Amino acid sequence: MVADLGVAADFDPGLPMFHKKVGRGTANFAVGPAMSRRQALRSIEAGIEIVAELVSQKALHLLGTGDMGIGNTSPSTAIIAVFSGRSVAEVTDRGTGIDDEGLRRKIAAIAKGLAVNRPDPGDPLGVLEKVGGYEIGGIAGLIIGAAAHRVPVVCDGFISTAGALIACALAPAARDYLFASHLSVEAGHAAMLAHLGLVPLFDLKFRLGEGTGAALAMELIDAATRVLADIRTFEEVAIADAQKG
Amino acid sequence: MVADLGVAADFDPGLPMFHKKVGRGTANFAVGPAMSRRQALRSIEAGIEIVAELVSQKALHLLGTGDMGIGNTSPSTAIIAVFSGRSVAEVTDRGTGIDDEGLRRKIAAIAKGLAVNRPDPGDPLGVLEKVGGYEIGGIAGLIIGAAAHRVPVVCDGFISTAGALIACALAPAARDYLFASHLSVEAGHAAMLAHLGLVPLFDLKFRLGEGTGAALAMELIDAATRVLADIRTFEEVAIADAQKG
């Protein structure tokens, strides 16, 4: 299912998607806050509402995240820099494939945004307000909502894990409901996973996941639950120790 | 599909499996060759025949290996020791879970087998004859047969990769048709993959795969081919560079 959190265009209300627009794009965080505090809260609430709607419609056993956003590796990079205390240069990478000059500009813009906004890691909602994106807030809300419903969540790549950082800073118990699907080649992703203490299931050199990592991981988790539930152990089929090799 | 290469019992010929029995168990390679040279050749031929039968029955796009054998980490360990030149102690591990004393005995038995049989890595059929198992020969044949039919093969874990070592030593071109599914925690497996130059898709701390690693990897490869075939690139959907993030 797709959700609109902040596309700067209107969708037909009849489209089969979650209509949760918080704003029409965020503001440039290099010159001021990306959004208002109310919008930050609203984007997280939207994610929580989506999970509640899904749970009310059918049994939800496993939730996978994903995103489609423009320019959203920059806020994600800013978020891990804030929470980890690492330098912007260390956690910034090429996103959709910018060149060296683009990378220099990106690092400068993110560093400027952090200097201008001074986000406080002790105020996760403020971090989202100052450098976040609506989709990142929405994913944070999905994770918090899923944890509240005791539904495990498979986190996709770099953007989704930025949402997980916000979610777990707001609600640390949500961490126990998270699976990391893949390790992105985006440099800041390993820092995010280390911060959360998550081990990714795959390392397939993905950069842009847009939910594919989570989708693959859900197959793997499904298979693992079948192994746990359906495959008998050596003890159960009574293979003697002497026959083991 | 299951194939019998060397179970020391008879199966009902009507069972839906490949009936390719080469012998009723192999001999103890700590005191002499595990099998005759004719049996080594026959086990490889059996694998090649199985692929030919599968190909004749239906379109075969991807083949996954797997094994069920008793005591077959020992021949697999001997095989990687022979091809890599590493010490037996370095590549021997606990198989189904033997204790420290069992591990010492296993290392001693494999080392004795190599001293008694003196397998020559330049004679891959002789390696199989002296320290192999019928299932390992069968898997080697599957790989060679699949490569001959230009069908890629997903190699399961430790035992299957021992088969791949035999296959690629006999027919080096088969290497290009191989995917490694997972990295086994069995110590010799990393040495096998390094020898073949294969990078595993998963590192999920499996020890006993019995085909599960290959099955999971086939799902992943199927998904990857769909991404390649079905997902449009930024260029194709005409997202301008300025909009990339």
Side-chain angles (χ1 to χ4, degrees):
Chain A
M1 283 292 289
V2 173
D4 168 29
L5 273 286
V7 175
D10 293 315
F11 289 105
D12 178 342
L15 282 174
M17 55 189 284
F18 290 105
H19 297 274
K20 301 283 184 185
K21 199 186 292 290
V22 177
R24 298 173 69 90
T26 42
N28 179 356
F29 76 65
V31 295
M35 63 184 85
S36 69
R37 193 168 181 94
R38 198 199 61 76
Q39 286 175 315
L41 184 60
R42 182 69 204 115
S43 68
I44 292 172
E45 287 174 342
I48 295 172
E49 288 166 8
I50 289 169
V51 175
E53 289 175 45
L54 290 171
V55 167
S56 73
Q57 286 163 18
K58 56 186 165 190
L60 187 65
H61 298 296
L62 185 63
L63 187 75
T65 68
D67 74 285
M68 174 77 195
I70 293 302
N72 60 3
T73 61
S74 291
S76 300
T77 303
I79 288 168
I80 182 56
V82 171
F83 283 116
S84 69
R86 301 194 199 205
S87 76
V88 172
E90 190 187 342
V91 290
T92 305
D93 213 320
R94 293 169 191 275
T96 43
I98 53 175
D99 61 14
D100 288 353
E101 175 51 29
L103 182 60
R104 275 190 292 272
R105 279 191 281 122
K106 182 173 173 182
I107 291 170
I110 295 169
K112 188 169 167 228
L114 295 183
V116 165
N117 287 291
R118 306 201 141 274
D120 171 9
D123 173 21
L125 193 63
V127 175
L128 182 62
E129 168 197 345
K130 289 170 173 178
V131 301
Y134 303 132
E135 77 282 47
I136 294 171
I139 290 167
L142 285 178
I143 293 167
I144 292 170
H149 288 280
R150 299 183 177 274
V151 173
V153 181
V154 187
C155 211
D156 190 45
F158 190 55
I159 317 301
S160 285
T161 315
L165 288 171
I166 300 286
C168 294
L170 284 168
R175 158 67 182 74
D176 290 344
Y177 290 83
L178 283 175
F179 288 98
S181 58
H182 69 281
L183 176 65
S184 170
V185 294
E186 189 74 15
H189 196 222
M192 289 177 174
L193 295 177
H195 186 80
L196 291 166
L198 293 173
V199 177
L201 293 172
F202 305 115
D203 178 5
L204 295 169
K205 316 299 175 200
F206 287 3
R207 189 178 288 270
L208 282 143
E210 293 172 355
T212 48
L216 292 172
M218 289 171 87
E219 296 271 2
L220 189 66
I221 291 166
D222 185 52
T225 58
R226 284 164 192 256
V227 168
L228 277 175
D230 300 341
I231 307 292
R232 289 187 293 171
T233 64
F234 271 175
E235 283 67 30
E236 285 166 346
V237 294
I239 289 183
D241 278 353
Q243 293 178 304
K244 292 181 183 176
Chain B
M1 284 292 288
V2 173
D4 168 29
L5 272 287
V7 175
D10 292 315
F11 290 104
D12 177 343
L15 282 175
M17 57 190 282
F18 290 105
H19 298 273
K20 301 285 184 185
K21 198 186 292 290
V22 178
R24 298 174 68 90
T26 42
N28 179 356
F29 76 66
V31 295
M35 64 185 85
S36 70
R37 194 169 179 94
R38 200 199 59 76
Q39 286 176 314
L41 185 61
R42 181 69 206 113
S43 69
I44 292 173
E45 286 173 344
I48 295 171
E49 288 165 8
I50 288 169
V51 174
E53 290 175 46
L54 289 171
V55 166
S56 73
Q57 286 163 19
K58 57 187 166 190
L60 188 65
H61 299 297
L62 185 63
L63 188 75
T65 68
D67 74 285
M68 174 78 197
I70 294 300
N72 60 0
T73 61
S74 291
S76 300
T77 303
I79 288 169
I80 182 56
V82 170
F83 283 116
S84 69
R86 302 194 198 205
S87 75
V88 172
E90 190 187 341
V91 290
T92 305
D93 212 321
R94 293 171 191 274
T96 41
I98 53 175
D99 61 14
D100 288 352
E101 174 52 28
L103 182 60
R104 274 190 292 274
R105 277 191 281 121
K106 182 173 173 182
I107 291 170
I110 295 169
K112 187 169 169 231
L114 296 183
V116 165
N117 287 292
R118 304 202 145 275
D120 170 9
D123 173 20
L125 193 62
V127 174
L128 182 62
E129 168 197 347
K130 290 171 172 177
V131 301
Y134 302 132
E135 78 281 48
I136 294 172
I139 290 167
L142 286 179
I143 293 167
I144 291 170
H149 289 281
R150 300 183 178 273
V151 173
V153 181
V154 187
C155 211
D156 191 46
F158 191 55
I159 316 302
S160 285
T161 315
L165 288 171
I166 299 286
C168 294
L170 284 167
R175 157 68 182 73
D176 291 344
Y177 290 84
L178 282 176
F179 289 97
S181 59
H182 69 281
L183 176 65
S184 170
V185 294
E186 189 75 15
H189 196 223
M192 289 177 175
L193 295 176
H195 187 81
L196 291 166
L198 293 173
V199 177
L201 293 172
F202 304 116
D203 178 6
L204 295 170
K205 316 299 175 201
F206 287 4
R207 189 178 289 271
L208 282 142
E210 292 172 357
T212 49
L216 291 173
M218 290 171 86
E219 295 270 4
L220 188 66
I221 291 165
D222 184 53
T225 58
R226 285 164 192 255
V227 168
L228 276 175
D230 300 342
I231 307 292
R232 290 187 292 173
T233 65
F234 270 174
E235 284 66 30
E236 285 165 345
V237 295
I239 288 183
D241 278 355
Q243 293 178 304
K244 292 182 182 174

